[in-house]
């Protein structure tokens, strides 16, 4: 078994590439696997593809907003408990 498969997996959904890369670097340094999505639609697709333990979700994104993405993910999470942490760079 690959050691990466045993790491907790965090899905980072943020339209800002800098935020995604900083999150990825910090998560990996702390023994987490990071899956990165540039928008809500991509994030939902990746959530359905991978076994995700935690979601970091940007509050404000163009297109499908963070709130709409959260609603869609929550609808899919009815029978499981994956925490969704909303993040934002706004004051």
């Amino acid at each position: 078994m690959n050691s990466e498969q045993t790491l907790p997996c965090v899905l980072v959904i943020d339209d800002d590439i800098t935020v995604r890369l900083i999150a990825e670097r910090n998560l990996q340094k702390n023994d987490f696997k990071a899956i990165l999505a540039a928008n809500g639609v991509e994030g939902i697709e990746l959530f359905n593809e991978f076994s995700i333990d935690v979601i970091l979700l940007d509050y404000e994104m163009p297109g499908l907003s963070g709130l709409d993405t959260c609603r869609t993910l929550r609808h899919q999470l009815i029978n499981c408990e994956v925490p969704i942490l909303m993040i934002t760079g706004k004051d």
Side-chain angles (χ1 to χ4, degrees), residues 40-54:
V41 172
E42 183 182 356
I44 292 165
E45 290 171 358
L46 290 170
F47 174 79
N48 290 316
E49 184 178 336
F50 293 92
S51 178
I52 303 297
D53 296 298
V54 176

Side-chain angles (χ1 to χ4, degrees), residues 14-69:
D14 198 302
D15 60 308
D16 186 328
I17 190 167
T18 303
V19 172
R20 290 193 311 270
L21 294 175
I22 289 170
E24 178 182 43
R25 183 177 62 226
N26 285 305
L27 287 165
Q28 289 175 345
K29 283 192 328 188
N30 289 286
D31 297 325
F32 289 88
K33 179 179 178 181
I35 305 291
L36 307 179
N39 58 58
V41 172
E42 183 182 356
I44 292 165
E45 290 171 358
L46 290 170
F47 174 79
N48 290 316
E49 184 178 336
F50 293 92
S51 178
I52 303 297
D53 296 298
V54 176
I55 300 168
L56 295 179
L57 175 59
D58 186 14
Y59 182 78
E60 290 189 34
M61 291 185 293
L64 191 62
S65 73
L67 284 178
D68 290 336
T69 302

Side-chain angles (χ1 to χ4, degrees), residues 1-2 10 19 27 47 52 62 67 74 76 79:
M1 178 183 272
N2 183 337
V10 179
V19 172
L27 287 165
F47 174 79
I52 303 297
L67 284 178
R74 276 286 157 231
Q76 293 181 14
N79 295 319

